[in-house]
Amino acid sequence: MHSLKEWKFGLEKAKKYGICGLALQPADQDSFRPAIKLVCLALPDKSVYISDGREHGTDGAGEMILLLAALLEQRSIRKVIYGARPALSLIRDSAGRKINACNVFDLMLASQICWSGYYYLRPSGSTCHPWRRDVPDHSLASLAERHLGIILDGEGGEGDGGGDGGGGVDSAEEDNAEEDSAEEGDRNGDGLALKRASVLLPLHNILAELLARNGLEKIADLEFQVAASLAEMQGSGIHLECDQARGMVCREEYEICNLVSAMQEEARRKGFVTVSHDGKRLCCYLNPDRTEDVMAFLRRRGYPVSSTKAEILKGLAAAGCAFAEALLRYRRVCHQLTFLCSWLEKVSPVDGRVHPHFFQIQSSTGRISSRNPNAHQIPSTGEDASAIRRLFTPAEGKKFVKADFSTIELRIMARLSGDRVMLEAFKNGVDLHRLTASRISGVPIEQVTQAQRKAAKTMNFLLIYGGSARSLQSRILSDYGIFISSDEAEQARENFLSCYQGVREWQERQLSEMSFTVQHYFHNCIQGFFALPLTATTTIMGRRRIWPRFGAGIRASKFQMYNTPCQGTGADLIKLVMAEVYDKISSQEARIINSVHDEILLEVPEERAEEYAVKLKEIMERIGSELLHPVPVKAEVRIMKSLAE
DNA sequence: TACCAGCGCGCG
DNA sequence: ACCGCGCGCTGGTA
């Protein structure tokens, strides 16, 4: 353990070198106030300074925190961290102010970027699916072992609390999960912390080189910046009207009971009995959650169904089947109930808000994902969606500012393919759904009906996924209840592609990319740097998704080749916006609350909502139009009193 | 008991 | 032969 004075000396050296490794260990979570138990500073001369994060200087409280905050904000020193997001949250919470971190290099993110989309196939016992997918592990222990040949934890010490501790649960993205272990002997804990800190800089050299060789530096810099806004989102949380939510839960439980007994009563009346697959166990109730039961009952009623999807049940309900209707209602209400419960049980006792976890590059395309609860699936299109959205409200004296990109994936497609028709349309501000409808049906653009526009919208999105005529048909049926014949669907698809020739050609190019390989660099401690030929896709910003090749097999599907650049560029864009928003408009009072792929939600002081709304819109349209130039990008922004507005 | 696959559903 | 994600339920298996 070093004194504050020695630590300051370490900082001086960091300034001289222009780089340092930084590792934090939080104190027990029990205390309401955040605290840093241990802080390690690693330098290129292999020295490591280790100190207590709660260290106070002679002149007052929390001097160590002030030093850390200043270090993060010092542009001339690169901070190498494993897991920047939890570190940033910790320092921000401890310091009680926004941190404008810069020149941070996150080893975890760097590693994920280099391996994005990659997986191994491992044989599994089952005959049905003989291969299991394994994604590479990005824990610090794995990185150290893979690139340096150093075993960080594992056997080392005497058997403590077993596998639960330091070794096992090093799941890369779980906040601080790995830190909770080394409590026991301070001696032991310090030793591990020291070891972890000492691998940071050697790993940095390798991963920085790997990023450079693969042309991923731009993406990496973006991701490093985004970490701060993700920390903010997670720290801010979302406010939920708990009392009202609980009221809804009660009403829904009651309704579910009624629905279930009604369905079971009907099944009983019709003499339905559940039989287990071996024909032995009998049950007198129909379990509506059991696909097998439902299917058997519907078949007995004379409906030869192949599945119990909502799409099919809707058809039956329309034909007068009360059971199908009840089941549909049951499923919707159940879903809402579990949704509400999952949010209610995660209300934080500290601030009464829900803090969903966000995962920065969990998705192989580069999109953010969310869990516990999933902040990306707050109902929006369903019938009772607004009843639920009303429960999400800003804090006292605040307002929501919500902005989303309009038809962003189509604009990205226009930019990627350079399709002349699409480019012209967007430049002239033409509604592309209308245009598609007019081109397909042959009517002038101003005579397109609302129904035609809707169908065209479905078609446009389907195009992004490379969908077939069959999928177009079922999508239009399930979205709008409109039935079109397969001939009509095929015709529409053909018209569509001949209308946007550039897109067709782009898709053909993407298809040929599948068999064309690029050299992608890897690194391990045995072979050093080495390249392998792989199929890959690239976004406009240069984000790369790679597919492994086993023998001559090409694992990517053509749909993935079409979709990944679109979705990935969308991810690039929203991340650029998040970084800019964090930089330019967020503060302790105005915070990013949520981000759903093409949408940003802020919670801001009521009296300044208008001003923030203008700023947010400006940022989104400016950054979007820059990235997709010459395609202009539009954003729609609104100020809301709840998510239902 | 824990994990895993399949289904069905929500979001984009 | 439709992209990407997470979640709850069911039922089979190590």
Side-chain angles (χ1 to χ4, degrees):
Chain A
M1 201 65 109
H2 295 87
S3 69
L4 191 58
K5 197 174 158 197
E6 289 169 308
W7 216 83
K8 282 182 177 167
F9 178 66
L11 278 179
E12 282 307 311
K13 285 209 283 187
K15 203 171 285 178
K16 198 183 75 195
Y17 287 119
I19 189 170
C20 65
L22 191 63
L24 305 178
Q25 192 180 358
D28 302 341
Q29 252 77 359
D30 320 342
S31 53
F32 281 73
R33 297 195 43 232
I36 303 170
K37 185 174 164 196
L38 230 50
V39 36
C40 298
L41 187 72
L43 296 164
D45 61 12
K46 302 212 180 344
S47 57
V48 176
Y49 293 81
I50 180 164
S51 188
D52 189 327
R54 291 157 293 193
E55 194 88 59
H56 290 197
T58 48
D59 52 342
E63 178 154 13
M64 182 57 88
I65 297 300
L66 298 180
L67 287 172
L68 282 174
L71 174 62
L72 283 174
E73 290 176 334
Q74 182 124 29
R75 188 166 297 277
S76 60
I77 305 178
R78 166 163 286 191
K79 278 73 60 178
V80 179
I81 304 182
Y82 178 82
R85 196 190 58 229
L88 290 171
S89 313
L90 199 54
I91 295 174
R92 177 175 183 161
D93 292 345
S94 304
R97 69 170 178 89
K98 181 188 168 195
I99 310 286
N100 295 304
C102 55
N103 205 355
V104 167
F105 188 102
D106 187 337
L107 296 172
M108 184 181 79
L109 294 176
S111 179
Q112 287 176 317
I113 291 164
C114 289
W115 294 82
S116 178
Y118 201 80
Y119 59 90
Y120 309 95
L121 288 183
R122 194 176 41 136
S124 78
S126 94
T127 44
C128 181
H129 287 284
W131 298 100
R132 269 205 49 175
R133 283 184 186 199
D134 261 344
V135 287
D137 185 16
H138 302 287
S139 66
L140 185 60
S142 295
L143 295 188
E145 190 176 344
R146 177 151 62 234
H147 298 296
L148 307 172
I150 295 176
I151 308 289
L152 269 191
D153 31 32
E155 15 95 89
E158 63 268 303
D160 59 328
D164 149 27
V169 268
D170 216 350
S171 67
E173 293 237 18
E174 223 55 60
D175 269 33
N176 310 329
E178 71 257 25
E179 315 290 358
D180 297 329
S181 56
E183 295 285 340
E184 319 302 302
D186 261 11
R187 207 81 205 84
N188 228 337
D190 288 8
L192 182 59
L194 215 68
K195 222 169 164 190
R196 290 172 69 89
S198 67
V199 297
L200 295 175
L201 291 179
L203 282 174
H204 164 262
N205 293 339
I206 291 165
L207 286 170
E209 169 84 22
L210 210 47
L211 287 171
R213 290 201 189 198
N214 287 318
L216 294 167
E217 288 157 304
K218 239 174 104 180
I219 284 297
D221 285 338
L222 171 61
E223 295 289 359
F224 297 157
Q225 281 183 273
V226 168
S229 54
L230 265 134
E232 176 170 284
M233 267 179 17
Q234 206 161 298
S236 311
I238 306 181
H239 179 254
L240 183 66
E241 298 288 342
C242 293
D243 292 341
Q244 291 177 40
R246 276 188 280 267
M248 266 183 88
V249 166
C250 283
R251 288 196 297 278
E252 284 171 349
E253 275 171 345
Y254 179 75
E255 187 177 356
I256 285 172
C257 283
N258 288 339
L259 285 166
V260 169
S261 52
M263 284 186 288
Q264 289 181 343
E265 174 59 22
E266 185 176 349
R268 199 189 56 76
R269 252 202 332 268
K270 296 281 186 330
F272 178 83
V273 179
T274 303
V275 182
S276 71
H277 74 282
D278 53 5
K280 281 182 191 153
R281 200 161 51 83
L282 297 182
C283 173
C284 16
Y285 296 114
L286 184 151
N287 180 353
D289 285 332
R290 202 174 172 234
T291 318
E292 212 180 317
D293 281 12
V294 171
M295 207 125 67
F297 182 60
L298 286 174
R299 289 219 175 106
R300 174 183 284 225
R301 299 280 311 271
Y303 302 108
V305 288
S306 54
S307 92
T308 67
K309 282 200 212 310
E311 175 193 332
I312 290 178
L313 293 180
K314 269 181 204 156
L316 299 187
C321 175
F323 178 82
E325 190 149 4
L327 184 58
L328 281 168
R329 177 76 190 150
Y330 166 81
R331 284 199 185 149
R332 277 201 307 271
V333 180
C334 267
H335 187 267
Q336 282 184 18
L337 181 81
T338 52
F339 174 86
L340 287 176
C341 289
S342 71
W343 281 74
L344 279 170
E345 77 190 21
K346 269 140 201 145
V347 172
S348 156
V350 178
D351 58 5
R353 295 162 72 96
V354 180
H355 300 259
H357 282 54
F358 292 94
F359 299 87
Q360 200 167 326
I361 13 192
Q362 174 86 16
S363 156
S364 42
T365 53
R367 292 223 288 212
I368 295 168
S369 86
S370 167
R371 269 188 282 170
N372 290 313
N374 185 342
H376 289 169
Q377 47 186 175
I378 298 171
S380 87
T381 55
E383 302 172 25
D384 309 310
S386 63
I388 289 192
R389 291 181 81 86
R390 251 193 293 281
L391 302 175
F392 293 90
T393 53
E396 195 63 31
K398 302 269 181 90
K399 280 258 171 74
F400 284 150
V401 172
K402 192 185 104 171
D404 62 310
F405 287 117
S406 64
T407 60
I408 192 61
E409 280 177 314
L410 284 173
R411 288 173 201 266
I412 292 169
M413 181 56 95
R415 163 66 174 76
L416 283 170
S417 68
D419 181 271
R420 298 173 148 276
V421 179
M422 273 194 178
L423 284 182
E424 277 311 301
F426 280 129
K427 277 188 197 163
N428 299 327
V430 174
D431 175 358
L432 210 84
H433 300 319
R434 282 211 121 72
L435 177 63
T436 299
S438 124
R439 291 303 181 99
I440 285 172
S441 57
V443 302
I445 193 156
E446 57 285 345
Q447 285 173 30
V448 169
T449 66
Q450 211 49 239
Q452 284 172 318
R453 184 181 179 277
K454 268 187 169 180
K457 188 174 175 182
T458 303
M459 186 114 64
N460 280 336
F461 287 121
L462 210 78
L463 166 87
I464 309 292
Y465 309 141
S468 63
R470 176 78 187 82
S471 52
L472 174 64
Q473 194 185 7
S474 68
R475 191 61 178 239
I476 287 185
L477 183 62
S478 67
D479 283 6
Y480 308 118
I482 300 168
F483 178 80
I484 60 171
S485 72
S486 31
D487 282 350
E488 281 173 309
E490 187 48 59
Q491 190 58 49
R493 206 181 94 93
E494 195 43 49
N495 285 350
F496 183 95
L497 284 177
S498 47
C499 169
Y500 302 112
Q501 267 298 330
V503 174
R504 191 200 289 265
E505 286 159 18
W506 179 81
Q507 289 192 339
E508 280 159 12
R509 281 203 299 282
Q510 284 302 110
L511 204 57
S512 65
E513 285 290 310
M514 234 163 93
S515 36
F516 183 85
T517 59
V518 299
Q519 293 292 314
H520 187 83
Y521 279 93
F522 295 93
H523 176 277
N524 65 41
C525 60
I526 297 164
Q527 294 164 273
F529 292 96
F530 61 98
L532 291 177
L534 299 169
T535 61
T537 53
T538 310
T539 66
I540 291 176
M541 262 203 85
R543 165 175 264 120
R544 182 186 271 185
R545 173 183 180 176
I546 53 178
W547 281 267
R549 289 173 76 87
F550 302 104
I554 297 168
R555 316 299 298 194
S557 77
K558 67 174 190 177
F559 308 107
Q560 292 175 321
M561 299 304 287
Y562 299 158
N563 186 61
T564 304
C566 270
Q567 204 181 105
T569 301
D572 295 347
L573 179 49
I574 201 76
K575 284 178 170 177
L576 282 167
V577 169
M578 289 177 71
E580 180 81 356
V581 165
Y582 183 80
D583 203 39
K584 294 284 169 21
I585 76 185
S586 88
S587 65
Q588 290 293 80
E589 292 76 39
R591 285 162 166 260
I592 309 179
I593 296 297
N594 199 0
S595 152
V596 194
H597 310 313
D598 67 347
E599 169 192 316
I600 296 251
L601 183 66
L602 308 180
E603 189 183 59
V604 304
E606 202 164 0
E607 64 277 8
R608 299 182 65 188
E610 202 67 49
E611 166 197 340
Y612 284 118
V614 172
K615 268 193 193 166
L616 180 58
K617 185 175 159 76
E618 184 274 327
I619 287 175
M620 289 174 76
E621 296 189 338
R622 171 169 50 81
I623 293 196
S625 302
E626 260 168 40
L627 184 69
L628 299 189
H629 185 266
V631 178
V633 166
K634 297 276 171 237
E636 280 149 23
V637 61
R638 53 193 352 181
I639 297 166
M640 311 169 88
K641 278 198 58 159
S642 82
L643 278 188
E645 112 201 69

PDB file of all heavy atoms in Angstrom, chain A residues 324-343:
ATOM      1  N   ALA A 324     -59.780 -19.109 -29.152  1.00  0.00           N
ATOM      2  CA  ALA A 324     -58.606 -18.451 -29.721  1.00  0.00           C
ATOM      3  C   ALA A 324     -58.532 -17.003 -29.250  1.00  0.00           C
ATOM      4  O   ALA A 324     -57.464 -16.484 -28.918  1.00  0.00           O
ATOM      5  CB  ALA A 324     -58.639 -18.524 -31.242  1.00  0.00           C
ATOM      6  N   GLU A 325     -59.676 -16.374 -29.210  1.00  0.00           N
ATOM      7  CA  GLU A 325     -59.713 -14.980 -28.782  1.00  0.00           C
ATOM      8  C   GLU A 325     -59.286 -14.843 -27.320  1.00  0.00           C
ATOM      9  O   GLU A 325     -58.498 -13.971 -26.971  1.00  0.00           O
ATOM     10  CB  GLU A 325     -61.140 -14.435 -28.965  1.00  0.00           C
ATOM     11  CG  GLU A 325     -61.207 -12.955 -28.776  1.00  0.00           C
ATOM     12  CD  GLU A 325     -62.303 -12.326 -29.630  1.00  0.00           C
ATOM     13  OE1 GLU A 325     -63.044 -13.089 -30.293  1.00  0.00           O
ATOM     14  OE2 GLU A 325     -62.399 -11.104 -29.614  1.00  0.00           O
ATOM     15  N   ALA A 326     -59.815 -15.731 -26.485  1.00  0.00           N
ATOM     16  CA  ALA A 326     -59.446 -15.699 -25.064  1.00  0.00           C
ATOM     17  C   ALA A 326     -57.960 -15.958 -24.894  1.00  0.00           C
ATOM     18  O   ALA A 326     -57.291 -15.309 -24.087  1.00  0.00           O
ATOM     19  CB  ALA A 326     -60.260 -16.733 -24.290  1.00  0.00           C
ATOM     20  N   LEU A 327     -57.437 -16.902 -25.658  1.00  0.00           N
ATOM     21  CA  LEU A 327     -56.019 -17.230 -25.550  1.00  0.00           C
ATOM     22  C   LEU A 327     -55.144 -16.046 -25.952  1.00  0.00           C
ATOM     23  O   LEU A 327     -54.148 -15.735 -25.300  1.00  0.00           O
ATOM     24  CB  LEU A 327     -55.699 -18.446 -26.424  1.00  0.00           C
ATOM     25  CG  LEU A 327     -54.267 -18.958 -26.323  1.00  0.00           C
ATOM     26  CD1 LEU A 327     -53.929 -19.339 -24.887  1.00  0.00           C
ATOM     27  CD2 LEU A 327     -54.048 -20.138 -27.250  1.00  0.00           C
ATOM     28  N   LEU A 328     -55.546 -15.365 -27.005  1.00  0.00           N
ATOM     29  CA  LEU A 328     -54.796 -14.189 -27.448  1.00  0.00           C
ATOM     30  C   LEU A 328     -54.759 -13.144 -26.347  1.00  0.00           C
ATOM     31  O   LEU A 328     -53.711 -12.584 -26.022  1.00  0.00           O
ATOM     32  CB  LEU A 328     -55.436 -13.602 -28.708  1.00  0.00           C
ATOM     33  CG  LEU A 328     -55.112 -14.320 -30.011  1.00  0.00           C
ATOM     34  CD1 LEU A 328     -56.015 -13.827 -31.125  1.00  0.00           C
ATOM     35  CD2 LEU A 328     -53.654 -14.099 -30.378  1.00  0.00           C
ATOM     36  N   ARG A 329     -55.943 -12.889 -25.789  1.00  0.00           N
ATOM     37  CA  ARG A 329     -56.049 -11.909 -24.713  1.00  0.00           C
ATOM     38  C   ARG A 329     -55.188 -12.336 -23.522  1.00  0.00           C
ATOM     39  O   ARG A 329     -54.457 -11.545 -22.943  1.00  0.00           O
ATOM     40  CB  ARG A 329     -57.525 -11.794 -24.299  1.00  0.00           C
ATOM     41  CG  ARG A 329     -57.811 -10.882 -23.143  1.00  0.00           C
ATOM     42  CD  ARG A 329     -57.757  -9.424 -23.558  1.00  0.00           C
ATOM     43  NE  ARG A 329     -57.810  -8.553 -22.388  1.00  0.00           N
ATOM     44  CZ  ARG A 329     -57.244  -7.361 -22.336  1.00  0.00           C
ATOM     45  NH1 ARG A 329     -56.606  -6.886 -23.389  1.00  0.00           N
ATOM     46  NH2 ARG A 329     -57.325  -6.636 -21.263  1.00  0.00           N
ATOM     47  N   TYR A 330     -55.281 -13.630 -23.202  1.00  0.00           N
ATOM     48  CA  TYR A 330     -54.501 -14.181 -22.089  1.00  0.00           C
ATOM     49  C   TYR A 330     -53.002 -13.941 -22.291  1.00  0.00           C
ATOM     50  O   TYR A 330     -52.301 -13.495 -21.384  1.00  0.00           O
ATOM     51  CB  TYR A 330     -54.787 -15.685 -21.964  1.00  0.00           C
ATOM     52  CG  TYR A 330     -53.817 -16.439 -21.095  1.00  0.00           C
ATOM     53  CD1 TYR A 330     -53.939 -16.426 -19.709  1.00  0.00           C
ATOM     54  CD2 TYR A 330     -52.775 -17.169 -21.659  1.00  0.00           C
ATOM     55  CE1 TYR A 330     -53.041 -17.112 -18.911  1.00  0.00           C
ATOM     56  CE2 TYR A 330     -51.873 -17.857 -20.869  1.00  0.00           C
ATOM     57  CZ  TYR A 330     -52.007 -17.821 -19.498  1.00  0.00           C
ATOM     58  OH  TYR A 330     -51.108 -18.502 -18.724  1.00  0.00           O
ATOM     59  N   ARG A 331     -52.541 -14.202 -23.490  1.00  0.00           N
ATOM     60  CA  ARG A 331     -51.102 -14.041 -23.744  1.00  0.00           C
ATOM     61  C   ARG A 331     -50.673 -12.585 -23.606  1.00  0.00           C
ATOM     62  O   ARG A 331     -49.632 -12.287 -23.034  1.00  0.00           O
ATOM     63  CB  ARG A 331     -50.764 -14.539 -25.146  1.00  0.00           C
ATOM     64  CG  ARG A 331     -50.737 -16.042 -25.223  1.00  0.00           C
ATOM     65  CD  ARG A 331     -49.980 -16.490 -26.446  1.00  0.00           C
ATOM     66  NE  ARG A 331     -50.045 -17.922 -26.586  1.00  0.00           N
ATOM     67  CZ  ARG A 331     -50.027 -18.545 -27.772  1.00  0.00           C
ATOM     68  NH1 ARG A 331     -49.978 -17.836 -28.888  1.00  0.00           N
ATOM     69  NH2 ARG A 331     -50.071 -19.842 -27.818  1.00  0.00           N
ATOM     70  N   ARG A 332     -51.505 -11.689 -24.124  1.00  0.00           N
ATOM     71  CA  ARG A 332     -51.153 -10.262 -24.034  1.00  0.00           C
ATOM     72  C   ARG A 332     -51.098  -9.813 -22.580  1.00  0.00           C
ATOM     73  O   ARG A 332     -50.147  -9.150 -22.163  1.00  0.00           O
ATOM     74  CB  ARG A 332     -52.170  -9.422 -24.812  1.00  0.00           C
ATOM     75  CG  ARG A 332     -51.907  -9.328 -26.297  1.00  0.00           C
ATOM     76  CD  ARG A 332     -52.604  -8.110 -26.897  1.00  0.00           C
ATOM     77  NE  ARG A 332     -54.023  -8.068 -26.566  1.00  0.00           N
ATOM     78  CZ  ARG A 332     -54.972  -8.639 -27.308  1.00  0.00           C
ATOM     79  NH1 ARG A 332     -54.645  -9.283 -28.397  1.00  0.00           N
ATOM     80  NH2 ARG A 332     -56.225  -8.557 -26.939  1.00  0.00           N
ATOM     81  N   VAL A 333     -52.126 -10.176 -21.821  1.00  0.00           N
ATOM     82  CA  VAL A 333     -52.179  -9.738 -20.432  1.00  0.00           C
ATOM     83  C   VAL A 333     -51.039 -10.346 -19.628  1.00  0.00           C
ATOM     84  O   VAL A 333     -50.406  -9.675 -18.821  1.00  0.00           O
ATOM     85  CB  VAL A 333     -53.544 -10.092 -19.799  1.00  0.00           C
ATOM     86  CG1 VAL A 333     -53.587  -9.634 -18.355  1.00  0.00           C
ATOM     87  CG2 VAL A 333     -54.665  -9.444 -20.585  1.00  0.00           C
ATOM     88  N   CYS A 334     -50.772 -11.627 -19.872  1.00  0.00           N
ATOM     89  CA  CYS A 334     -49.651 -12.293 -19.191  1.00  0.00           C
ATOM     90  C   CYS A 334     -48.351 -11.561 -19.463  1.00  0.00           C
ATOM     91  O   CYS A 334     -47.539 -11.334 -18.572  1.00  0.00           O
ATOM     92  CB  CYS A 334     -49.496 -13.718 -19.695  1.00  0.00           C
ATOM     93  SG  CYS A 334     -50.367 -14.897 -18.703  1.00  0.00           S
ATOM     94  N   HIS A 335     -48.164 -11.219 -20.719  1.00  0.00           N
ATOM     95  CA  HIS A 335     -46.925 -10.559 -21.086  1.00  0.00           C
ATOM     96  C   HIS A 335     -46.785  -9.227 -20.358  1.00  0.00           C
ATOM     97  O   HIS A 335     -45.722  -8.891 -19.849  1.00  0.00           O
ATOM     98  CB  HIS A 335     -46.877 -10.345 -22.597  1.00  0.00           C
ATOM     99  CG  HIS A 335     -45.562  -9.836 -23.053  1.00  0.00           C
ATOM    100  ND1 HIS A 335     -45.293  -8.488 -23.190  1.00  0.00           N
ATOM    101  CD2 HIS A 335     -44.411 -10.465 -23.365  1.00  0.00           C
ATOM    102  CE1 HIS A 335     -44.038  -8.332 -23.562  1.00  0.00           C
ATOM    103  NE2 HIS A 335     -43.491  -9.510 -23.694  1.00  0.00           N
ATOM    104  N   GLN A 336     -47.886  -8.487 -20.304  1.00  0.00           N
ATOM    105  CA  GLN A 336     -47.852  -7.202 -19.601  1.00  0.00           C
ATOM    106  C   GLN A 336     -47.564  -7.399 -18.130  1.00  0.00           C
ATOM    107  O   GLN A 336     -46.813  -6.641 -17.514  1.00  0.00           O
ATOM    108  CB  GLN A 336     -49.192  -6.494 -19.757  1.00  0.00           C
ATOM    109  CG  GLN A 336     -49.350  -5.849 -21.106  1.00  0.00           C
ATOM    110  CD  GLN A 336     -50.639  -5.073 -21.191  1.00  0.00           C
ATOM    111  OE1 GLN A 336     -51.237  -4.738 -20.173  1.00  0.00           O
ATOM    112  NE2 GLN A 336     -51.081  -4.803 -22.403  1.00  0.00           N
ATOM    113  N   LEU A 337     -48.193  -8.418 -17.571  1.00  0.00           N
ATOM    114  CA  LEU A 337     -48.008  -8.686 -16.156  1.00  0.00           C
ATOM    115  C   LEU A 337     -46.548  -8.986 -15.838  1.00  0.00           C
ATOM    116  O   LEU A 337     -45.958  -8.375 -14.939  1.00  0.00           O
ATOM    117  CB  LEU A 337     -48.879  -9.875 -15.745  1.00  0.00           C
ATOM    118  CG  LEU A 337     -48.792 -10.239 -14.267  1.00  0.00           C
ATOM    119  CD1 LEU A 337     -49.681  -9.330 -13.453  1.00  0.00           C
ATOM    120  CD2 LEU A 337     -49.182 -11.690 -14.056  1.00  0.00           C
ATOM    121  N   THR A 338     -45.960  -9.904 -16.611  1.00  0.00           N
ATOM    122  CA  THR A 338     -44.575 -10.241 -16.322  1.00  0.00           C
ATOM    123  C   THR A 338     -43.667  -9.049 -16.596  1.00  0.00           C
ATOM    124  O   THR A 338     -42.677  -8.844 -15.906  1.00  0.00           O
ATOM    125  CB  THR A 338     -44.097 -11.449 -17.138  1.00  0.00           C
ATOM    126  OG1 THR A 338     -44.372 -11.211 -18.515  1.00  0.00           O
ATOM    127  CG2 THR A 338     -44.782 -12.721 -16.697  1.00  0.00           C
ATOM    128  N   PHE A 339     -44.044  -8.271 -17.595  1.00  0.00           N
ATOM    129  CA  PHE A 339     -43.267  -7.060 -17.877  1.00  0.00           C
ATOM    130  C   PHE A 339     -43.259  -6.147 -16.652  1.00  0.00           C
ATOM    131  O   PHE A 339     -42.198  -5.736 -16.172  1.00  0.00           O
ATOM    132  CB  PHE A 339     -43.850  -6.322 -19.088  1.00  0.00           C
ATOM    133  CG  PHE A 339     -43.202  -4.993 -19.341  1.00  0.00           C
ATOM    134  CD1 PHE A 339     -42.048  -4.904 -20.093  1.00  0.00           C
ATOM    135  CD2 PHE A 339     -43.739  -3.829 -18.792  1.00  0.00           C
ATOM    136  CE1 PHE A 339     -41.435  -3.681 -20.307  1.00  0.00           C
ATOM    137  CE2 PHE A 339     -43.135  -2.607 -19.006  1.00  0.00           C
ATOM    138  CZ  PHE A 339     -41.983  -2.535 -19.765  1.00  0.00           C
ATOM    139  N   LEU A 340     -44.454  -5.833 -16.146  1.00  0.00           N
ATOM    140  CA  LEU A 340     -44.551  -4.921 -15.010  1.00  0.00           C
ATOM    141  C   LEU A 340     -43.833  -5.481 -13.786  1.00  0.00           C
ATOM    142  O   LEU A 340     -43.105  -4.765 -13.103  1.00  0.00           O
ATOM    143  CB  LEU A 340     -46.021  -4.652 -14.680  1.00  0.00           C
ATOM    144  CG  LEU A 340     -46.745  -3.742 -15.668  1.00  0.00           C
ATOM    145  CD1 LEU A 340     -48.214  -3.620 -15.311  1.00  0.00           C
ATOM    146  CD2 LEU A 340     -46.091  -2.363 -15.693  1.00  0.00           C
ATOM    147  N   CYS A 341     -44.045  -6.780 -13.526  1.00  0.00           N
ATOM    148  CA  CYS A 341     -43.400  -7.373 -12.358  1.00  0.00           C
ATOM    149  C   CYS A 341     -41.886  -7.299 -12.480  1.00  0.00           C
ATOM    150  O   CYS A 341     -41.194  -7.001 -11.511  1.00  0.00           O
ATOM    151  CB  CYS A 341     -43.850  -8.822 -12.179  1.00  0.00           C
ATOM    152  SG  CYS A 341     -45.558  -8.935 -11.634  1.00  0.00           S
ATOM    153  N   SER A 342     -41.399  -7.575 -13.683  1.00  0.00           N
ATOM    154  CA  SER A 342     -39.950  -7.578 -13.824  1.00  0.00           C
ATOM    155  C   SER A 342     -39.372  -6.188 -13.569  1.00  0.00           C
ATOM    156  O   SER A 342     -38.248  -6.050 -13.096  1.00  0.00           O
ATOM    157  CB  SER A 342     -39.544  -8.101 -15.196  1.00  0.00           C
ATOM    158  OG  SER A 342     -39.869  -7.160 -16.191  1.00  0.00           O
ATOM    159  N   TRP A 343     -40.140  -5.147 -13.892  1.00  0.00           N
ATOM    160  CA  TRP A 343     -39.646  -3.796 -13.606  1.00  0.00           C
ATOM    161  C   TRP A 343     -39.814  -3.471 -12.133  1.00  0.00           C
ATOM    162  O   TRP A 343     -38.916  -2.889 -11.509  1.00  0.00           O
ATOM    163  CB  TRP A 343     -40.350  -2.755 -14.483  1.00  0.00           C
ATOM    164  CG  TRP A 343     -39.775  -2.716 -15.857  1.00  0.00           C
ATOM    165  CD1 TRP A 343     -39.966  -3.644 -16.838  1.00  0.00           C
ATOM    166  CD2 TRP A 343     -38.886  -1.734 -16.401  1.00  0.00           C
ATOM    167  NE1 TRP A 343     -39.238  -3.298 -17.960  1.00  0.00           N
ATOM    168  CE2 TRP A 343     -38.584  -2.133 -17.723  1.00  0.00           C
ATOM    169  CE3 TRP A 343     -38.331  -0.559 -15.909  1.00  0.00           C
ATOM    170  CZ2 TRP A 343     -37.737  -1.389 -18.562  1.00  0.00           C
ATOM    171  CZ3 TRP A 343     -37.489   0.193 -16.736  1.00  0.00           C
ATOM    172  CH2 TRP A 343     -37.200  -0.231 -18.049  1.00  0.00           C
TER     173      TRP A 343
END
